[in-house]
Each structure stands twice: as C-alpha cells, then as structure tokens.
Amino acid sequence: MALKTMLKFSRGFRYQSLARTTQSFSTHDQDEGGWNRTRTKSSGNFTQVAGAAVAGVAGFCLYSYLNEPAVSAATKEETTLQAGEVKEGLPFYSLDEVRAHDDNEKRIWVTYKQGVYDITDFIPKHPGGGEKILMAAGASVDPFWASYGVHKNADILKMLETYRIGNLSEEDSKVSLHNVVDPYDSDPRRHPALQPRSLKPYNAETPLKILADNFFTPNDLFFVRNHLPVPEIDLASYEIEIEGVGVKSMKLNLEQLKKFPKYTVTSTVQCSGNRRSEMTKVKPVKGLDWGQAAIGNATWTGVRLRDVLLAAGLKDDQPGVEHVQFEGLDTDPSMHPYGASIPIEKAMDPKGDVLLAFEMNGEPLTRDHGYPVRVIVPGVTGARNVKWLGKVIVSGKESDSHWQQNDYKGFSPSTDWDTVDFSSAPAIQELPVISAICDPVQGDKVKPVDGKIPLRGYAWSGGGRKIVRVDVTWDQGKTWGVAKLEQESNKHPYHWGWTLWTLEVPVPPNAKKLEVWVKAVDSTYNTQPEGFANIWNLRGVLSNAYHRVTIDINTGKK
Amino acid sequence: MALKTMLKFSRGFRYQSLARTTQSFSTHDQDEGGWNRTRTKSSGNFTQVAGAAVAGVAGFCLYSYLNEPAVSAATKEETTLQAGEVKEGLPFYSLDEVRAHDDNEKRIWVTYKQGVYDITDFIPKHPGGGEKILMAAGASVDPFWASYGVHKNADILKMLETYRIGNLSEEDSKVSLHNVVDPYDSDPRRHPALQPRSLKPYNAETPLKILADNFFTPNDLFFVRNHLPVPEIDLASYEIEIEGVGVKSMKLNLEQLKKFPKYTVTSTVQCSGNRRSEMTKVKPVKGLDWGQAAIGNATWTGVRLRDVLLAAGLKDDQPGVEHVQFEGLDTDPSMHPYGASIPIEKAMDPKGDVLLAFEMNGEPLTRDHGYPVRVIVPGVTGARNVKWLGKVIVSGKESDSHWQQNDYKGFSPSTDWDTVDFSSAPAIQELPVISAICDPVQGDKVKPVDGKIPLRGYAWSGGGRKIVRVDVTWDQGKTWGVAKLEQESNKHPYHWGWTLWTLEVPVPPNAKKLEVWVKAVDSTYNTQPEGFANIWNLRGVLSNAYHRVTIDINTGKK
C-alpha cells in the first residue's frame, strides 16, 4: 500500500497545513485510513476540506509535469540557489501577511524559501488550469517542490522570480523546512549507464548507441518514465482492486492473480515524448528532453486483463462500459494516484494481449518498472501501461487523471498555451510509426570500410502494425536504400514488438561528413512525416519525423 | 454466370487459336462447361493446353494493367492508327513464319495489325513477369488488345514499334479481325458527369468540385474502378460459392443470402491509386491518372461475411486458415476472374463489418458497383472490395491473382521496374491517412468575401481510424488553421466513413494567388507525408502527401 511513501508525503503535506490550514489538517490522521479517506472523498467535513486541498496540491503538482524542463535540473544549480534568497531593497512580510493574500481581490501571494511572490497574473497562464493553483494561495510552495524536484530548474525559477515582490520576515523564515522529507529518498538505485532526463521524478533513457544492440532491451538499461516517487510496496499486503460497471468488486493478491492462465508477450513500450529533443529545436516545447531512446522492447509475462475482467463477471459488449481505468500506487502529495485508461475494445480484445504483467524479460519486475504488477497495453503509448497497479475500474468514462485529460494529446502547430483546449483532442492511445538511427550517433567520427558505413537502428508502429520497410537515404532523398530487418515472425495478426534494422551506406570519396535519414513504413503503409515544423505541438509529443544524423567521416588523412 | 461476356471473350480467344493453336482450341467448347474446365484446370490433355494458354493470355492482359496509360487512350488516336501499318523497306513475313518464332532460341515474334515485331528483348522487362508473355509468341496480339482497349495508347504503341522487324504478308493480313467482338459492348451506360480515366476497362471519378458536397456520394457519381468488362449477370442463375479450409462447400443464391441478418455500414471506398496524378509529376508512374476523387462514401447494406462463414462451419481461430479469397464474375479472355483476399482476422472480426453487400445508399447495387453482390471490406483498399462476387474461398494462402500478388503494393522510391520484387512487399490492405481539398479546385478564380475564402474537402484513414484533426495552411506552414469536421458519431470502435471538412482561410490584401495545403491526423496520430518525392513508388499507389492547391484570387480589380 505504498505506506512509507505516503507517510513522507503526509509529512510534507502537514508542513503546508501548518503554514495555512492548521486546523483542518491537524485532524488528518496520517495513517492508511486517512489515505483511504482522502482518495475516496467519501463523506463529512474533513473529507471536503481534504478534497479541496487535494485539488490545489494536484494543481501545483501538475504544473511541474507540464513544465518539465528541457534541461536537466542538475545542470543549473547556481540559478537554483539564487531564487528564493533575500533580495535587497524589497519589503519584508510575515507569514500572516502572506496568508491574507489568498484570493484574486486581495491578490494571490506565495512563498518560496525566503522569497514572496504575487502570482495573481500567472494563474490564468497556469497550464494545468487556473482554478487548481488557487489552493496554494497565501502559503509556501516549498513542500511541493520538495516532492517535485523537477521544479528546481532555471526556467521555472527564473519565471517565478519575475513575480517577486518581497522577502519573508527573518522570524517566519526560521520556520524550518527540515521536517519536509524527500519522498524520493526511497527510490531504487539505478544503473549508472542510464541517461537521466530528470532526477525527481526519475526519468532516464538507454544510451542510444547500445539501444539497437539487443532485440530485448536489458531490464536495467530499459528507459524509465516515472511521474511520481517509486512506491514501496509490501507484497504481504499488496492487492489489486477490481471494480466498476458490470463487474463484481474483488481484490486479488499476487498469488491469486497468478492463478489465471499465464501469457508472455513481446511488446515495445515507448513514451509519447520520445525524440522530443528534436522537435524542440524547431520551437521550444514543454517536457522532458528525451533523445531517441525513450523506447525499449521486452517480453512481458503476466495474465490477461480480459481473463481477469471475465472472471469478475464482465460481459463482452456490456452496455455502459467504454473504458478501463487503471490507478497506480504511486501518488502525489495529496494521495492522488497516477491514472490512465484504455478503450474497452482494446482491454477486451481476445487478440489485444493487454496483460497484468509481473515479469519483464523473464525476471520479476524491478521497482522502476512497476513491481509487483504493471499493465502492459501492447501497441499503446507508455503512459497507459500503468505501473505499480493498484486498481482497475471498468467505466463509461475515461480516467479523469491529469495525464489522461490534460496531457499526452496532440495539437496543431499553431496551438499554444494561450489557446490550447485539452478537451478538443483525444488522449493518445496507439502511437504513429517511428524510427531512429542508433549507431552511429550524431557527431560520431567513423572510418568507412570499403567505402561504406554500417548503420543500425529501430523502427516501430503502434496498434500492432508491423514494420514492412525501413528506408535510408545518404543523399537527401535522391537515393533510398532498403534496410535489412530483424523482427519477430509469427502468425499473430498484431506485431507488438519493434523491428531492428541495419544498412551499410556508401560514403562518397573524400566526404568529410555524411548526413543520413531514416523513415519506416508500417503495414498500413503509413510512413513518417519529413520534418518537425508541421507536426510541432506544444507538449512535444508524437515527435516522429525522419531521424537525421550527421556523421563525421574519418578519412584517414591528417 | 457472366455468360455473355464469356462468349465474347471466347470468340476473341478462338481467333487467337486459329492463328496458332487451332487443333487444341477448336476442341474448346465455348460454353459454361468449357469455362468451368478452364478455370479449374481439373484434368486431361485439353485442360492442360487450355491452362497453358491461360497463362499466356493472362500475361498479356496483365501487361495492360501495369501499363495503364497516364493519358486517356482516346487522346492520341493518330499515333494509334500509325502503329501496325505497313512500313516501307521492311521485309514481309507469312503467319507461318511468324508462328515459327515462338521461343527464345528462334526469337519471339508477334503481330499487331500488319506489323511484325521481335519482342524477345522486351520479355525480361515485362512487368507482369517474363514467363507469362511467352504464350503470345508467334501469334497476333490483336484479339487481346480488342479486349483491352487501354493498350491502344501512344506510349505502348510507340514502345511496340521499337521492336518492329517487318510486315505481315498481304495474303495473311486478309485474315480479318471482324470476328473479334468488343467485350465492353455490354458495359452499362454511365452518367456523363463522371470523369473517365480509361474507357476499356471503364474507370472514372467523381467531379472533384462536387465530391465534398454530399456526405454520402450519390451512386451514379461514385467513382468506378473496373479491371475488366462488367459481367452481365442473370439473377435466376446467380450463386455465390463458399468453399475452402474449415468450411462445408455451399452455394447461396441472393434469396438465400438475404436470410442472414441484415446490416448497414457506412464505409468509404478508395482506390489505392487515388491522387496518383500528383505523384506522377515527381517522376512518371504506371497507372490510371487518378485525380483526388477515386474515393467515395456510402452506406452499404448486406450480410456479414462472418455470419456466412460461421454458417458454413468455420470456427474462430481455425488452424490452417489465414486468408479469405474472393473471386469476381468479371473475367479476362482466359476466363480468369478478378481476385483478391483479406486476412482472416479482418474477415472474422465481429466488429470488422465485412459485408456481402447488395445495396448502396439504400438502392440495389448498380452494375458498375458490383450487381448483384459485392464485398465491402471497411477500412481496406478498394481492390479487396471485390465486385460481382462469384466465390469465397477460405484458405491458408492469399489470392494468387495478379492484383493481390503483383500489383497494389508499395515500394521504396529507388525501386524501379528493373529491380522490383513484388514478393518482397505485402499486399495493400488498410490504407494510410489521406485528405484533399475539393473546392476550390486548382486554378479556380475565387473572390474573397470579407477577406476570406471557404475551403472544403475530405479526410479519411484506413483500418477504421477516425480523423481527429484536419490542418490547413495558407502561408506554407507558418500558420495552420484547424478545420471544422463533419463526421458520423457513434460508439463503434472503428470509424469506416470519411470526414468532410470546411475552413475559411484568410487572403492577404492584394494577393493574386493563394496556395493552400491540407493534411489530416487520425486517431493513431499518424499524419500525411509532406511531399511525394520520398514516397514515390513505381505504381503510383499510396499517394497521400499533403494536397496543395493554388487558387487565383479575383481581386475585383481590372
């Protein structure tokens, strides 16, 4: 039940309470019952208050995801340290004075470290929705930012400082933050070869150069996409709850889950933001600065969601059922879980292969990949492959989580943060066709052998659409070579795994550089767009234009 | 049983027999029994000879499809008439001399009208495969070309003349062609508004400007894609044969077919070659010169193929079954039917909506659209929506028809007719996402109203993938407007029908021309490639790059 993580969040949360709503929150028992009450918002005045606080907390949290920095948090430490420090020449305010500014009429103030900020004018620009941020009014943002280390990057802090109006009084600033516990303290250790894109939450990708070396990506080198701290789960109390329309509510522990027929499926998992770093060069986007390796391929072993839902009494074509929602046991400071949903047709498709998986490449899941059980939704974007599965809800509606409703959607290149209407676009499910050159990587210096350079990479398409061809050009499209493909062959109508490809490309005599492009074609003969400008979108998702790499040629001459 | 058409072909066929293989073919009874024997190649010496002849005839026929002219046959009448005329200075040969040249060692000769040609060197270049053309060796091509009027276009005749070696003797050229009957004589009358792309076989598209006026394309204006003469079918003897692996052979007349549950499905049907005329501008391709209207949308009423196959005893996941083949009653001169197949998963998908359809937009099918019964395979290219359905074969293999094996496939832009290996690419089934501007059309002169011009068009994607956005730009991609969509709304997981769209685009003051582009995005967030150069393929299929139209602006000034 992720109890330890919960308690850490609760402590941070209590600090927030002390600063603003002591009375309400001092009654919030930091035990499992309290956690349950907050999540279910079942009844009573306490719950109401907690529910309201939840909205605000969630608002601030969500802000952090929408503003995932395009640079690693760790790289701009200096700027980070300057923000929130005392600024000469600005007035000093007490916590009470700050607290008095908690609505639009009185202006909305917040504190960060010793800085006081009037964020009233920022609220309408808040990507997660203006109303959500309001619960942070008149108080400190520190405990949230302790949870979301990703906030502490130069861009966000610089933006915050533009709203600076004063300093917190010396006395009140002595209210120490030492009781704010870092909920990421218990995150697992990771392999040092992983390339982090953010540390808290931890997001990292496989070194690109080795990505195409293995048809099955090694577990410890598989990209990690966490939205929240990794929950600490005690197998002894672990259960998956099944509930909703057309099913009899039930709870399954791991042992009970494993009694269903066991299946193993090869499936590629890819983040919607893979290759975002290329799109952001056209015009900045908000999100983790993923290279080309926020993707991996593995075998997943578990039981079929369909079998579990049938056992819970769900019928095919049950009226009123349109989606299956998943909740993770990873939670934000308000105890809101990570959530996502998939269409019922995918969930119940006998050939859809949606698994509640407990093994990855034949080993039990690691904590970063969802131990003890995660959902695998083959052909569908990683965000719906919910890790640390806590709950399955059969419903007429999509998940109302931020990640389903207000993130992971595509928009026109002319849609910006002022005009975006997240309700106008469908949540990403199946992903479009994509490919990348993994080796050599941009800027590698390579010596041709017999006038040729070998390239290798991957190609993949969502929805089980098999890659039927990979085209590579070394002369800006005048000539296209057809790559040799490595892929699983089977009679299954869907092809969930990726395709690795190789091709030797010719190097013109005396060339000092060679620019190579790759594009893939899938079984529907969809192919990739040529460039990023016309598929640009404000979140930098679906970044599947041709991958173009320039190689330095080692001519062997001085 | 298409008897009339068959007899016409038989007569042409007999002429061929007279010229070369009188003995074999004079025993070929031109009745329904003979037709059956030819098709089934069941046994005996006669059948063997017929079978061999079939291969050759088919070879020549196929050549005609692969070389569908990019210009209408009717436009170059003059060149057509010159080919095959007596050429001064060349030797004269008798039919016996021609007949003696029927293999590679002796060289391979054919005649066309009074021309004699040595086509030995052309055989390896024959797109339909060298071995197939050999049965025409030592004889006249005239009867085939009477059947395939499309041959009589300048490009093919010019090519033929490059192989000219002599003239047919005056005496033998008196062997009249008057007994060759035109098998297209009994084709139906068509609406004069249709825009023909070839006359024999008849292929025509809807006038583009009116295509987006109707969500359901009127039957008489719906594009027509015929590969062969339209069969004349007598309902009294009409039956569909069901046979193959895992089914009990059975025959269903229309009355029996209609006893199955009746379904109506909205489905767009599109030719794989739609918009070929844009791709061919990059570099010539072989195929009918389709504009943007080889596509239409209709309701189709019939019974589910799944229901029929279940009634014939087929089980879901029947071992050994991978495809369902269809044969039309439209046949080539050798009585080979048009054929295609679809994967068993599509055929048996309870939500796949594959119909044996007898109504289109609520009316019985017209002859051009497959009367009395055609297959509708929603989301799949038109070529698999077999018309005039004669036979359904459940099989472990794809259809071995030319159109499944050696046509309707995609290749790399660097693959040409010398290097193409049709077995290396999958037969097109689901089509990629596409869109077009229908009104205004290229070159229209339009007067802006309030500085704006309204555009309208269509967008569609194969596989039931719904269109989720249509983007239009009027400034080469600097600004993209999001079009208003008209589409059916339903709870079905697949969206087979097209989407119509409209958008008013701004015209800069004093602009004399405005170039507008459109691209669509489907529910997998696949979108269209930007240009044709990098998706070019030798057959000009899958031509789904951005549609770009230049409009002349009526400024109201002289």
Side-chain angles (χ1 to χ4, degrees), chain B residues 13-34:
Chain B
F13 203 48
R14 183 180 284 143
Y15 174 80
Q16 156 72 1
S17 309
L18 284 170
R20 189 164 59 89
T21 52
T22 313
Q23 204 188 343
S24 307
F25 283 87
S26 61
T27 64
H28 185 169
D29 287 336
Q30 305 309 334
D31 58 14
E32 199 168 334

Side-chain angles (χ1 to χ4, degrees), chain A residues 439-440 446-447 449 452-456 503-505:
Chain A
D439 184 29
V446 181
K447 190 176 173 118
V449 176
K452 288 181 178 177
I453 289 177
L455 306 186
R456 55 201 301 171
L503 188 71
E504 290 195 330
V505 297

Side-chain angles (χ1 to χ4, degrees), chain B residues 371-389:
Chain B
Y371 173 85
V373 176
R374 74 175 298 176
V375 187
I376 287 294
V377 192
V380 163
T381 191
R384 317 301 172 211
N385 291 243
V386 174
K387 300 193 278 191
W388 314 291
L389 183 64

Side-chain angles (χ1 to χ4, degrees), chain A residues 73-389:
Chain A
T75 61
K76 305 213 176 167
E77 198 66 19
E78 215 173 309
T79 321
T80 308
L81 292 174
Q82 286 161 1
E85 289 180 0
V86 169
K87 268 198 180 170
E88 299 286 336
L90 291 180
F92 283 79
Y93 298 104
S94 69
L95 266 181
D96 284 343
E97 285 174 294
V98 172
R99 204 174 305 152
H101 292 82
D102 62 356
D103 68 25
N104 268 338
E105 264 179 50
K106 292 178 268 176
R107 308 291 291 174
I108 292 156
W109 293 8
V110 295
T111 68
Y112 169 64
K113 294 186 176 172
Q114 218 169 333
V116 177
Y117 307 85
D118 179 343
I119 60 162
T120 319
D121 299 335
F122 172 71
I123 289 166
K125 298 177 197 166
H126 183 232
E131 76 287 354
K132 290 182 179 171
I133 202 175
L134 284 172
M135 283 303 296
S140 163
V141 301
D142 292 83
F144 309 112
W145 290 20
S147 301
Y148 300 98
V150 71
H151 263 109
K152 294 182 182 174
N153 81 78
D155 294 331
I156 293 176
L157 291 169
K158 199 174 157 191
M159 187 272 292
L160 181 68
E161 286 301 314
T162 66
Y163 295 100
R164 183 73 175 263
I165 55 166
N167 302 304
L168 195 57
S169 68
E170 287 298 331
E171 195 179 19
D172 281 352
S173 67
K174 284 176 192 157
V175 175
S176 165
L177 294 176
H178 76 259
N179 60 342
V180 176
V181 173
D182 186 345
Y184 292 95
D185 271 354
S186 60
D187 262 22
R189 290 181 70 92
R190 280 95 183 193
H191 195 288
L194 281 169
Q195 314 277 305
R197 300 296 166 232
S198 80
L199 297 172
K200 298 175 182 183
Y202 185 78
N203 288 287
E205 60 190 298
T206 315
L208 183 60
K209 212 175 168 62
I210 64 167
L211 184 62
D213 286 356
N214 300 287
F215 189 77
F216 296 106
T217 315
N219 294 2
D220 287 344
L221 297 176
F222 206 98
F223 87 100
V224 177
R225 176 61 177 116
N226 292 341
H227 296 83
L228 295 159
V230 176
E232 290 181 279
I233 292 168
D234 177 7
L235 212 53
S237 62
Y238 176 74
E239 286 178 329
I240 302 170
E241 298 175 58
I242 318 285
E243 61 178 48
V245 181
V247 294
K248 198 181 136 191
S249 295
M250 62 187 212
K251 294 182 181 185
L252 293 170
N253 61 29
L254 190 58
E255 197 184 337
Q256 291 164 325
L257 189 76
K258 287 186 173 178
K259 286 182 179 155
F260 286 90
K262 190 170 165 178
Y263 287 94
T264 296
V265 169
T266 297
S267 181
T268 291
V269 179
Q270 182 185 217
C271 178
S272 305
N274 189 29
R275 299 184 57 204
R276 177 180 286 131
S277 58
E278 296 166 76
M279 185 180 279
T280 205
K281 285 177 188 156
V282 170
K283 193 167 73 171
V285 299
K286 290 186 179 174
L288 292 166
D289 199 40
W290 291 116
Q292 295 77 27
I295 185 171
N297 190 54
T299 63
W300 306 92
T301 301
V303 306
R304 287 187 175 160
L305 175 62
R306 175 182 167 84
D307 292 342
V308 172
L309 294 179
L310 288 174
L314 189 65
K315 304 272 182 256
D316 280 310
D317 301 315
Q318 171 84 35
V321 172
E322 290 177 38
H323 303 273
V324 175
Q325 303 175 6
F326 307 113
E327 287 182 5
L329 292 172
D330 48 336
T331 54
D332 67 19
S334 69
M335 297 299 108
H336 257 53
Y338 180 82
S341 61
I342 61 171
I344 187 68
E345 291 83 13
K346 174 66 179 172
M348 291 295 279
D349 182 354
K351 298 182 195 297
D353 291 337
V354 180
L355 297 186
L356 308 186
F358 37 80
E359 286 176 18
M360 177 179 183
N361 290 327
E363 300 287 334
L365 291 179
T366 60
R367 288 185 61 217
D368 259 339
H369 293 294
Y371 173 87
V373 176
R374 74 175 297 176
V375 188
I376 287 295
V377 192
V380 163
T381 190
R384 318 300 171 210
N385 291 243
V386 173
K387 300 193 278 191
W388 315 291
L389 183 64

Side-chain angles (χ1 to χ4, degrees), chain B residues 402-414:
Chain B
H402 165 75
W403 300 277
Q404 190 80 19
Q405 298 295 332
N406 297 314
D407 198 355
Y408 296 125
K409 296 186 171 187
F411 295 95
S412 146
S414 293

Side-chain angles (χ1 to χ4, degrees), chain A residues 409-460:
Chain A
K409 296 185 172 188
F411 295 95
S412 147
S414 293
T415 299
D416 60 26
W417 289 103
D418 292 330
T419 58
V420 66
D421 170 10
F422 272 93
S423 72
S424 70
I428 298 171
Q429 296 283 346
E430 296 179 4
L431 284 168
V433 58
I434 197 167
S435 64
I437 299 158
C438 296
D439 184 29
V441 298
Q442 178 74 29
D444 268 2
K445 190 150 195 163
V446 181
K447 190 176 173 118
V449 176
D450 297 333
K452 288 181 178 177
I453 289 177
L455 306 186
R456 55 201 301 171
Y458 66 79
W460 183 71

